[in-house]
Amino acid sequence: DPEFKVKSISPKLIGSDELSGKLGREAGLTVGDYAINKGTLDNANYEITVASGAKLTINKLAITVTAESTSKTYGDSDPEFKVDTVVPALVGTDKLSGSLARTDKSENVGDYAINKGTLDNANYDITYAGDAKLTINKLAITVTAESTSKTYGDADPEFKVKSISPKLIGSDELSGKLGR
């Protein structure tokens, strides 16, 4: 807290009298307004009353949050997006609630921006900065062809897929043809 200062005394103190101690304030540490009170302000010769209206305002602390880039394999669920840095650091044991997210929910291979999502704490003015991304990598599959044969001089038969492991996702299909 800053030092609270006496703005005026009415009526004025007599002669060389002075007040000892300090003004205080209503208890509280979170964002909001807190009334300034008598605290330890004292002088045995006076009945001290602090006029109402003076207050201490605790404003939100501006912080900048960046996320870690991460990746997943096509078909997997999104990983938990993690905060990389908070500058300046959160105060004491404070934590951020909510979670980072991505607005583009596409599941195709590519890069997708991670954003602030629902990240919040009432005591902080959060700016999300950075270029963290979720990279969706290709799913490695193994295609096994059916064995076939032909007679010398004949055209090649159509080569058929015997199995795909792991299976393709959803309604995905392979395009093109097997060759030799």
Side-chain angles (χ1 to χ4, degrees), residues 2 13 17 23 32 46 60 66 91 103 110 129 132-133 144 148 155 157 165:
L13 298 178
D17 286 350
L23 291 168
Y46 299 91
K60 290 183 177 191
T66 58
V91 175
T103 47
K133 63 184 177 194
T144 304
T148 190
S165 179

Side-chain angles (χ1 to χ4, degrees), residues 45-81:
N45 294 321
Y46 299 91
E47 181 67 35
I48 300 171
T49 302
V50 175
S52 64
K55 63 184 178 183
L56 168 70
T57 299
I58 298 178
N59 297 307
K60 290 183 177 191
L61 174 62
I63 60 172
T64 301
V65 174
T66 58
E68 291 180 0
S69 288
T70 190
S71 64
K72 73 173 190 172
T73 300
Y74 174 72
D76 289 350
S77 298
D78 280 3
E80 179 183 346
F81 302 124

Side-chain angles (χ1 to χ4, degrees), residues 1-176:
D1 284 356
E3 182 179 337
F4 304 120
K5 297 182 181 180
V6 174
K7 182 176 180 182
S8 64
I9 299 174
S10 180
K12 293 187 181 219
L13 298 178
I14 296 172
S16 61
D17 286 350
E18 292 182 357
L19 298 177
S20 63
K22 295 181 177 185
L23 291 168
R25 71 168 175 97
E26 180 180 24
L29 298 173
T30 60
V31 169
D33 291 331
Y34 299 90
I36 294 177
N37 57 38
K38 179 180 169 193
T40 61
L41 206 60
D42 196 21
N43 183 308
N45 294 321
Y46 299 91
E47 181 67 35
I48 300 171
T49 302
V50 175
S52 64
K55 63 184 178 183
L56 168 70
T57 299
I58 298 178
N59 297 307
K60 290 183 177 191
L61 174 62
I63 60 172
T64 301
V65 174
T66 58
E68 291 180 0
S69 288
T70 190
S71 64
K72 73 173 190 172
T73 300
Y74 174 72
D76 289 350
S77 298
D78 280 3
E80 179 183 346
F81 302 124
K82 296 180 181 175
V83 171
D84 184 34
T85 60
V86 177
V87 178
L90 298 178
V91 175
T93 59
D94 284 356
K95 297 191 180 321
L96 297 173
S97 63
S99 58
L100 297 166
R102 63 181 177 115
T103 47
D104 186 339
K105 297 294 185 179
S106 176
E107 290 300 319
N108 293 322
V109 169
D111 292 332
Y112 300 92
I114 297 173
N115 60 41
K116 179 182 169 195
T118 60
L119 214 56
D120 196 23
N121 182 308
N123 291 316
Y124 298 90
D125 183 14
I126 301 170
T127 298
Y128 178 79
D131 53 2
K133 63 184 177 194
L134 168 68
T135 300
I136 301 177
N137 298 307
K138 291 182 177 185
L139 173 64
I141 61 172
T142 300
V143 175
T144 304
E146 289 183 358
S147 294
T148 190
S149 63
K150 74 172 192 168
T151 303
Y152 178 73
D154 289 350
D156 282 352
E158 181 180 334
F159 302 115
K160 296 182 181 176
V161 174
K162 181 178 180 181
S163 65
I164 301 172
S165 179
K167 294 186 179 210
L168 298 180
I169 310 261
S171 61
D172 287 353
E173 295 180 357
L174 297 176
S175 60

